[in-house]
Amino acid sequence: MRKYAGKILILLFVVVNIVLWLSFLPPDNGRRDFTIKIVSEVLASSAIILMACILFLATKARVLEPLFGGLDRMYQAHRQTAVVALIVVYAHTLTIPVLADGSVGTTLGGIALTGLIALAVWALLPRIIRAFTTYGQGLVAKIPPSYHLWAKIPARYHLWRWFHRLIGLFFLVGIAHLLLVDSLIRRSPVVFGYVIAVSAAAILVYGYKELCYSVAQKKAAYIVQDIRKLSSSALEVTLAPQQTKLSFRPGQFLFVYFDDERFPKEPHPFTISSAPHDNHLRLAVKACGDFTHAMYAHLRAGARAFVDGGYGMFDYRSGGKQQIWIAGGIGITPFLSWMRSFRGTLEYDIDFFYNVRVPEDYLYVEEIQQIAAQYANFRPHLSCTKQDGYLTLDNIMASGKALAECDIYFCGPLPMRETFQNQLRQKGLSTSRLHFEEFNFR
């Protein structure tokens, strides 16, 4: 229930808006379209409240993390709230008695709507393309090659991040629209005061984040001490603190950017694979995007790095005594941090399943085996898809664990996770025991 507290809070902001409208209706002006105008403005003010919540969530404020169950789910709520806000805005446009009167206020409303829709399409296009290529493979061949080139543009993280910052500007345009049109909300001081107060708070947060955050925030300064190529596509980056060590919990992630002209000055998220008591940070990275490919090819010892964290609430210590850990490929990183944090007696009974595509993808196998030799109740199970086939729940159940009594922690590719979720449902088991992070901030 706790992880839904944030979404419930967002809903309460909207409910308060509606209740205030019902409690403090503006006086009837005698126009025939009075009722429909009330409905239209309730929708508009609700959309403004939702957009304000979006700006609050974009701050990455740690105080909000527990309300959503982690930063990953904060971003998920951010995305879902944005979709709902756009639907509400569109419903508002359908109920406007006079759609276009040529006034400045109406024009600004059109600009805000167009801008928000464009940003939403930009953000969702990679997901639409991914779904289309997954479920409509027969049609992909009919798409012109030029489209495939343009489809890659929204996937560029730095472009998405830059355009995403414009959401605050379009929010400001929407507020200007509210103030300039002949609206009923201004005849209801309580409702107007509530909407303006929430909007003003969101604008202050947005302004601080865009203008002052990078200066005021204290990012931990590190130096790249060592680069170790683990395979043909994976590397380990060791960071040494220049002054204060980053504080984090096992399994958390951080945002890092490198003070190197070959890298964009933008933070990227990576799971920390070292333990909190270690003097250095260790990041295991697989080259699978522009930034990580650049890291694999160009990052060198001596480069300055700035980190922000730790974030996330992926923590096996919040689960029961009987546990199953499942890592797919580079998804081993949070489990490495957990294993390296073992101290004294291990209070949990853990079967760790580590699956890779080909044998060359195995990482840290010797270290895992050394840890297993120290803890009898930690049992690793290694499998390779090319040699052993896909890892399934049946394979896991063969270890002797009763799945219904276990907390299952997963980190790996999305299709692999969805497969396990489907297999749990097929066996009549609840998917609520499968814990994972939504490691996708788009």
Side-chain angles (χ1 to χ4, degrees), residues 321-361:
K321 299 301 182 184
Q322 297 293 323
Q323 297 190 4
I324 293 171
W325 297 358
I326 305 173
I330 198 63
I332 192 176
T333 49
F335 301 111
L336 284 171
S337 182
W338 291 353
M339 286 183 268
R340 288 166 174 168
S341 301
F342 288 167
R343 285 294 181 271
T345 302
L346 181 60
E347 299 177 358
Y348 302 85
D349 190 83
I350 302 167
D351 281 277
F352 173 50
F353 292 84
Y354 178 27
N355 177 258
V356 296
R357 186 176 55 87
V358 294
E360 293 76 19
D361 290 340

Side-chain angles (χ1 to χ4, degrees), residues 230-234 286 328-332 354-365 383-386:
L230 303 175
S231 69
S232 60
S233 60
K286 183 177 178 62
I330 198 63
I332 192 176
Y354 178 27
N355 177 258
V356 296
R357 186 176 55 87
V358 294
E360 293 76 19
D361 290 340
Y362 280 126
L363 305 176
Y364 304 103
V365 172
S383 64
C384 171
T385 300
K386 185 176 181 180

Side-chain angles (χ1 to χ4, degrees), residues 401-422:
K401 277 285 179 70
L403 294 181
E405 301 174 1
C406 294
D407 279 290
I408 305 172
Y409 292 87
F410 174 87
C411 186
L414 176 61
M416 186 178 180
R417 189 189 84 204
E418 291 176 337
T419 297
F420 280 118
Q421 288 174 318
N422 290 332

Side-chain angles (χ1 to χ4, degrees), residues 68-79:
F68 293 88
L71 183 64
D72 56 316
R73 284 168 173 78
M74 271 179 61
Y75 274 47
Q76 189 181 50
H78 170 94
R79 183 170 61 246

